[in-house]
Amino acid sequence: MEESLVLVLIFTLVGITSALSFYGDSVSFLPLQKNSDGTFEVSFYHRQNGRSSCQEQSSLTCESGVCTSFDQSSVLQTDQDNTGQGRWCQSEQLTTATVSTNKYLSLRNSSCCWLSNIEGTTNWTSYAELDLGIRSDSNTLNHCPVTTTVSSLRVPQNCFSSMHLLAYDPDGDEVRCSFSPNATIPANFALNEVGCTLTSTGQVSTGVHVFELILEDFPTQNITLTYTDGTSAFLEAFEFSTPLCKVKLQFAVEILPPIPSCEAGHVQPMFLSITPSHGEILHATVNQTLEINIQAQAHHSIINDFQVSGPENMTKVFTYGISGKADVTLSWTPQQSDLSRVVPLCFTAETNDTQSEMRCVAVIVNQASVSQGKVSVECLANKMSVLIDKASIPGIDVNFLQLRDPSCSLMSNETYIMGSISFSTCGTKLEDKGDFIAFINEIHSFELPSTIITRRKRIKIDFSCLFPKTISISTYYSLHNSDYIFTESNFGSFGYTFDIFVNDSFTTVVDPSAYPVQVELMQMIYMGIQAQSDLPKVTLFVDSCKATPDDNPNNPLHYDLIKNGCNQDETLTIYQPNQTTFNFGVGAFKFTGNYNEVYITCTVILCQTGDPFSRCSQGCLKNPTRRRRRAVGMETDRHDITQGPLQIVQQAVPNAAVNDNRSVMKKGDLSATVKSPPENPSPVVQVTKSSGEGWNIKEMICTNISATVFASAFLMSVVVMAVIVRYFRRQRKAEDQKALIANSGM
Ligand SMILES: *[C@@H]1O[C@H](CO)[C@@H](O)[C@H](O)[C@H]1NC(C)=O
Ligand SMILES: *[C@@H]1O[C@H](CO)[C@@H](O)[C@H](O)[C@H]1NC(C)=O
Ligand SMILES: *[C@@H]1O[C@H](CO)[C@@H](O)[C@H](O)[C@H]1NC(C)=O
Ligand SMILES: *[C@@H]1O[C@H](CO)[C@@H](O)[C@H](O)[C@H]1NC(C)=O
Ligand SMILES: *[C@@H]1O[C@H](CO)[C@@H](O)[C@H](O)[C@H]1NC(C)=O
Ligand SMILES: *[C@@H]1O[C@H](CO)[C@@H](O)[C@H](O)[C@H]1NC(C)=O
Ligand SMILES: *[C@@H]1O[C@H](CO)[C@@H](O)[C@H](O)[C@H]1NC(C)=O
Ligand SMILES: *[C@@H]1O[C@H](CO)[C@@H](O)[C@H](O)[C@H]1NC(C)=O
Ligand SMILES: *[C@@H]1O[C@H](CO)[C@@H](O)[C@H](O)[C@H]1NC(C)=O
Ligand SMILES: *[C@@H]1O[C@H](CO)[C@@H](O)[C@H](O)[C@H]1NC(C)=O
Ligand SMILES: *[C@@H]1O[C@H](CO)[C@@H](O)[C@H](O)[C@H]1NC(C)=O
């Protein structure tokens, strides 16, 4: 009886409140102003999320009655679902308050009704707390961290691993994110408090989860805060106990049923390279229109809109492109009142069934346009060179410029500032831009820690090298010899050559112009793999080599030459002249049955030389542990490189061994069945043998088998297995999508 009563009550509550469901919100402050009478002017934009309707907004109000005036603009809808499905909308309201207090200001609103969610959380609280002291480092009031999210976040269950949130601090303070102490944390969700990234620690359950986060900023140098009443407070650098400001961020994430593939660009839209990166800082100028271009692609679904959390009066123009692409251009013209405002902006690409990752940027509104330094960047295989025309950045002191990693130095002469930066050092970060891989660094000005005033202009020059994921080999002149080129974050771009050599001195490559190449059965084939990397200390490791009758290295019909670093074939001889070269010789063979091609595929790894935990240091593993975890940064992913096809033409009468004048051929009655070489031999690279070394036949001779028995055995093998390798050509696999995005560390 009691149970049913409770049920009825709950249903009634849901019935009443569903119309007023809360979907999350964020608050961003304009720079606080101190009035001459000691009061403060506090203005903030409050963005609130909705679904089909966005007219209802809660308003944050000042606690303890410290607000003497409180002006609220009308609520403006900033974005809505243009496909008419009412999946999201967002509104923004500007509030300007005059505040009479001397130390802290808290703003709050709370109510009962989060949208219904798995955890059953109902009460929500919007909250911000500001310290009103003047900072000794900037001589101004503190700026709160800037954040927001789009209104509706939807991620398929099997695709949720992390979600990057915006946590930008205009003062350069350290921002820490945490779950609100009062909030229920949904199971298997965790928060990386430094990067402000929501992650999963296990499988997350489908349905709606709501999140209440608090962002706090902490100074990175010792500062003193001075209050209007003359008192002051000392804040120690990186002492994460007393925040300068606390702002709350609330949002809902709907975990959708799993989808077959989480690969970005498949069903899930993937942002392409023109799209700003997450966390990027954009500069806008008062009275000038800022345009932000966003492009996404999904090959197996239709992108029908972009969700945007942006400022009022931002326009959004959507266009469909070819091959599953879609673009949106956002335009916004900041007004005088927006000066010095830092506007959070987040966006996602939407399909009916899912959504891209969310990306967020911060837009800083300046009075005059930010001067753009003239920079030229040259991208090489493993490094980039940057050249800045000094005339384009007047008033900049070279001695106060640094790269992301300050320990890397820049050079300069009278006209230029120069830097040569390896992709794996100097703080260069790698970013997967969907269609491109980008290596990003920056040159920025810095101040000495003791400086109280500055007369130098501040500058930040971002530069990057973009490499298409589908690599055109001609792009890489210094790797132009490589048959295979890969790019990974810790190793930059590196290449492998895979060649056939004429003999075991491994000096002369079988000349591709001399095609077709004849290789005789059981004759040794000499092949060499060489790794090319600009990094000084790398070691090449050949984990496996196998032969297949076609170019599918996973063909179940295969023959292992090397497996898990262990030699599997008795004819195999390995020569390793140095750490980046692996040469080997193997007796020629053919697959039995109607196969006339052989491909050799080797799986190769590059390691940092001397790392005792790398795969390279382990050598042959008889019982490799499955799913060995790769030591991050110490070795590359495994890459397959293939040589072939060796097209084998079995002739009715073999002409193998004809040119061999060794006495064994003259024994018995074999000569009658062996035809003379063709009158006009096609261009042939004769794989010459010196002293018979490496021939299996030699070994057989030494085993004392009678000449006749040997001779007929030899003839049979010639008839059955003689190989004439023709149409030898190199096969280049220019792309390896998996490899290219591997180890991106994102
Ligand atoms: C919260 O906002 C609503 C809507 O503006 C308002 O009616 C309510 O009074 C506010 N509550 C508090 C505690 O300020
Ligand atoms: C939600 O808020 C109401 C009213 O403020 C309070 O009575 C109730 O205990 C709160 N519920 C939870 C779960 O905190
Ligand atoms: C958490 O709850 C306590 C007591 O209910 C309240 O005083 C405090 O303000 C809440 N904190 C936040 C961040 O909402
Ligand atoms: C910051 O303050 C702490 C505590 O007073 C002191 O130990 C530290 O040396 C100071 N750091 C700097 C950079 O002044
Ligand atoms: C922006 O335009 C307004 C109106 O045209 C003008 O009053 C204001 O001075 C302009 N501001 C800047 C920074 O150009
Ligand atoms: C947006 O546009 C409306 C109408 O043109 C205008 O009244 C309002 O001030 C604008 N808001 C902002 C933030 O520019
Ligand atoms: C998306 O859903 C809408 C409304 O249900 C429908 O009209 C539209 O055709 C759907 N689009 C696709 C690509 O499925
Ligand atoms: C400065 O260096 C650049 C790049 O190396 C070079 O092109 C230029 O001629 C140099 N200028 C002077 C004045 O040495
Ligand atoms: C290997 O071939 C090269 C070029 O044909 C030749 O100069 C060299 O002497 C040969 N070396 C051996 C060991 O046969
Ligand atoms: C390794 O040996 C090969 C062939 O002998 C040579 O071409 C290459 O330059 C050598 N590499 C290093 C790093 O010594
Ligand atoms: C036969 O081979 C031997 C050694 O391999 C060589 O000295 C001799 O010149 C060869 N004869 C002919 C006709 O090629």
Side-chain angles (χ1 to χ4, degrees):
M1 194 61 204
E2 270 176 28
E3 274 171 23
S4 60
L5 194 69
V6 172
L7 268 177
V8 170
L9 270 174
I10 290 170
F11 277 122
T12 316
L13 262 176
V14 170
I16 292 171
T17 58
S18 60
L20 302 165
S21 283
F22 179 75
Y23 297 91
D25 67 346
S26 62
V27 181
S28 58
F29 290 86
L30 273 86
L32 306 186
Q33 306 291 326
K34 193 173 173 182
N35 298 325
S36 49
D37 62 357
T39 60
F40 296 90
E41 192 180 298
V42 176
S43 299
F44 59 89
Y45 281 92
H46 182 213
R47 280 190 202 159
Q48 194 162 319
N49 304 336
R51 293 295 178 262
S52 48
S53 149
C54 261
Q55 295 317 305
E56 295 290 326
Q57 264 239 13
S58 65
S59 355
L60 288 122
T61 50
C62 301
E63 287 198 313
S64 39
V66 296
C67 293
T68 53
S69 78
F70 204 77
D71 297 329
Q72 291 183 312
S73 74
S74 53
V75 174
L76 270 185
Q77 184 161 304
T78 53
D79 191 30
Q80 68 174 46
D81 179 356
N82 290 328
T83 66
Q85 297 175 67
R87 293 173 296 178
W88 73 83
C89 62
Q90 194 171 60
S91 58
E92 193 176 64
Q93 183 179 38
L94 173 65
T95 302
T96 302
T98 306
V99 177
S100 60
T101 177
N102 62 49
K103 281 205 171 127
Y104 304 103
L105 167 68
S106 338
L107 298 160
R108 184 187 296 268
N109 195 330
S110 60
S111 186
C112 63
C113 312
W114 266 111
L115 78 162
S116 78
N117 57 79
I118 300 291
E119 285 71 33
T121 302
T122 52
N123 291 359
W124 55 267
T125 302
S126 302
Y127 182 73
E129 187 178 306
L130 295 80
D131 189 304
L132 299 173
I134 302 283
R135 294 172 66 127
S136 58
D137 57 346
S138 61
N139 223 17
T140 57
L141 287 143
N142 180 56
H143 297 84
C144 289
V146 171
T147 190
T148 194
T149 64
V150 295
S151 182
S152 163
L153 288 160
R154 301 177 294 152
V155 191
Q157 185 182 40
N158 53 331
C159 305
F160 185 86
S161 62
S162 64
M163 181 179 284
H164 298 280
L165 300 166
L166 180 65
Y168 175 73
D169 190 274
D171 302 307
D173 296 329
E174 177 100 358
V175 181
R176 291 287 161 102
C177 295
S178 56
F179 289 114
S180 172
N182 298 351
T184 308
I185 302 164
N188 289 336
F189 283 96
L191 192 62
N192 178 344
E193 63 168 19
V194 178
C196 210
T197 305
L198 191 66
T199 59
S200 66
T201 56
Q203 193 178 67
V204 297
S205 54
T206 54
V208 174
H209 305 274
V210 300
F211 295 90
E212 302 187 15
L213 269 50
I214 293 183
L215 279 75
E216 299 174 316
D217 55 340
F218 301 92
T220 58
Q221 44 185 300
N222 290 349
I223 62 165
T224 307
L225 294 164
T226 313
Y227 301 99
T228 44
D229 64 357
T231 58
S232 64
F234 173 77
L235 289 190
E236 196 183 325
F238 300 108
E239 173 59 60
F240 299 109
S241 55
T242 320
L244 289 154
C245 178
K246 289 182 183 198
V247 288
K248 202 156 170 190
L249 172 67
Q250 304 184 97
F251 57 95
V253 177
E254 184 179 2
I255 300 296
L256 303 168
I259 58 171
S261 170
C262 287
E263 189 193 327
H266 189 82
V267 172
Q268 300 264 93
M270 158 179 89
F271 286 122
L272 302 184
S273 50
I274 64 162
T275 310
S277 304
H278 179 77
E280 206 166 290
I281 309 303
L282 307 179
H283 293 272
T285 309
V286 171
N287 289 354
Q288 287 179 20
T289 303
L290 169 75
E291 270 196 7
I292 301 171
N293 295 303
I294 298 168
Q295 189 177 48
Q297 184 172 30
H299 288 286
H300 300 281
S301 57
I302 295 167
I303 298 170
N304 51 21
D305 204 353
F306 286 82
Q307 211 183 148
V308 179
S309 171
E312 289 171 8
N313 295 1
M314 176 174 260
T315 60
K316 180 172 122 178
V317 177
F318 176 87
T319 43
Y320 283 110
I322 51 158
S323 45
K325 290 183 188 168
D327 293 73
V328 73
T329 301
L330 306 177
S331 308
W332 182 53
T333 311
Q335 307 300 303
Q336 194 66 41
S337 57
D338 294 309
L339 185 63
S340 303
R341 187 180 161 194
V342 180
V343 184
L345 180 84
C346 295
F347 49 88
T348 53
E350 301 286 327
T351 72
N352 269 4
D353 302 315
T354 181
Q355 151 187 98
S356 68
E357 61 168 312
M358 175 175 70
R359 282 204 193 165
C360 301
V361 298
V363 180
I364 300 176
V365 182
N366 306 289
Q367 183 74 53
S369 62
V370 171
S371 68
Q372 304 280 320
K374 241 192 246 165
V375 184
S376 56
V377 182
E378 189 186 4
C379 298
L380 303 177
N382 253 296
K383 63 181 181 199
M384 47 188 164
S385 300
V386 44
L387 203 61
I388 307 171
D389 185 352
K390 277 187 175 175
S392 70
I393 49 166
I396 299 295
D397 185 341
V398 188
N399 297 315
F400 290 90
L401 291 181
Q402 64 187 21
L403 291 159
R404 286 191 77 228
D405 177 350
S407 64
C408 283
S409 58
L410 291 163
M411 292 167 294
S412 73
N413 64 16
E414 280 168 19
T415 44
Y416 291 104
I417 298 167
M418 295 158 279
S420 182
I421 300 120
S422 157
F423 291 159
S424 55
T425 56
C426 298
T428 305
K429 56 180 182 176
L430 178 140
E431 205 171 285
D432 186 342
K433 290 198 162 255
D435 44 354
F436 285 85
I437 291 261
F439 291 90
I440 302 168
N441 209 316
E442 68 183 41
I443 291 173
H444 61 259
S445 52
F446 66 97
E447 303 288 342
L448 294 177
S450 55
T451 349
I452 293 162
I453 59 161
T454 180
R455 296 209 168 86
R456 281 185 289 274
K457 284 193 198 166
R458 293 178 68 175
I459 186 172
K460 183 167 166 283
I461 299 167
D462 294 291
F463 55 93
S464 61
C465 280
L466 292 178
F467 292 96
K469 279 187 167 176
T470 306
I471 288 173
S472 144
I473 284 177
S474 59
T475 321
Y476 295 81
Y477 85 88
S478 60
L479 287 179
H480 74 288
N481 282 325
S482 298
D483 300 340
Y484 296 88
I485 295 169
F486 303 97
T487 303
E488 289 187 19
S489 59
N490 292 296
F491 284 81
S493 290
F494 48 91
Y496 296 103
T497 55
F498 194 0
D499 287 305
I500 297 189
F501 290 88
V502 298
N503 60 24
D504 65 354
S505 59
F506 296 99
T507 47
T508 310
V509 169
V510 169
D511 184 359
S513 70
Y515 295 168
V517 176
Q518 284 190 355
V519 176
E520 300 158 8
L521 191 80
M522 285 160 70
Q523 171 190 322
M524 290 298 278
I525 302 172
Y526 295 101
M527 302 179 95
I529 299 170
Q530 204 168 324
Q532 297 178 343
S533 166
D534 274 358
L535 301 185
K537 289 180 188 140
V538 294
T539 298
L540 166 68
F541 181 71
V542 177
D543 182 75
S544 69
C545 283
K546 61 182 170 186
T548 49
D550 59 22
D551 67 352
N552 172 16
N554 301 317
N555 191 322
L557 177 60
H558 69 264
Y559 177 69
D560 286 316
L561 301 172
I562 299 170
K563 194 176 180 184
N564 301 316
C566 311
N567 193 333
Q568 303 284 305
D569 180 279
E570 67 262 23
T571 71
L572 184 75
T573 319
I574 291 167
Y575 312 81
Q576 267 178 296
N578 59 38
Q579 284 168 339
T580 52
T581 306
F582 182 93
N583 295 328
F584 62 95
V586 66
F589 59 90
K590 172 188 179 300
F591 285 96
T592 48
N594 190 23
Y595 300 103
N596 56 4
E597 284 188 347
V598 172
Y599 287 75
I600 308 280
T601 299
C602 293
T603 305
V604 289
I605 300 172
L606 272 192
C607 306
Q608 193 173 306
T609 302
D611 172 20
F613 302 107
S614 72
R615 179 68 190 90
C616 304
S617 302
Q618 292 165 335
C620 166
L621 291 180
K622 297 274 186 223
N623 296 305
T625 41
R626 302 187 77 208
R627 297 169 139 266
R628 193 181 69 93
R629 264 189 79 95
R630 193 151 61 96
V632 175
M634 298 308 181
E635 67 192 56
T636 66
D637 218 335
R638 277 149 208 269
H639 297 289
D640 282 350
I641 60 176
T642 300
Q643 176 61 276
L646 309 178
Q647 188 165 14
I648 298 157
V649 179
Q650 217 167 303
Q651 297 194 338
V653 180
N655 64 357
V658 164
N659 293 328
D660 193 279
N661 73 354
R662 291 180 307 166
S663 57
V664 62
M665 296 305 295
K666 290 171 181 155
K667 286 186 180 165
D669 53 359
L670 283 174
S671 49
T673 61
V674 177
K675 269 192 184 168
S676 303
E679 288 301 305
N680 216 354
S682 45
V684 163
V685 170
Q686 192 60 53
V687 184
T688 54
K689 288 291 143 198
S690 65
S691 71
E693 197 184 311
W695 285 73
N696 293 347
I697 290 169
K698 176 92 183 286
E699 292 163 29
M700 291 167 83
I701 294 166
C702 298
T703 57
N704 235 354
I705 303 169
S706 84
T708 319
V709 172
F710 169 72
S712 39
F714 182 71
L715 176 66
M716 278 182 66
S717 68
V718 168
V719 172
V720 176
M721 309 197 301
V723 270
I724 297 153
V725 179
R726 286 172 183 269
Y727 313 121
F728 162 74
R729 64 182 150 90
R730 293 174 145 197
Q731 189 203 28
R732 290 186 167 172
K733 276 192 183 171
E735 63 179 297
D736 179 340
Q737 297 278 2
K738 179 179 160 285
L740 281 165
I741 56 169
N743 203 10
S744 62
M746 306 251 144

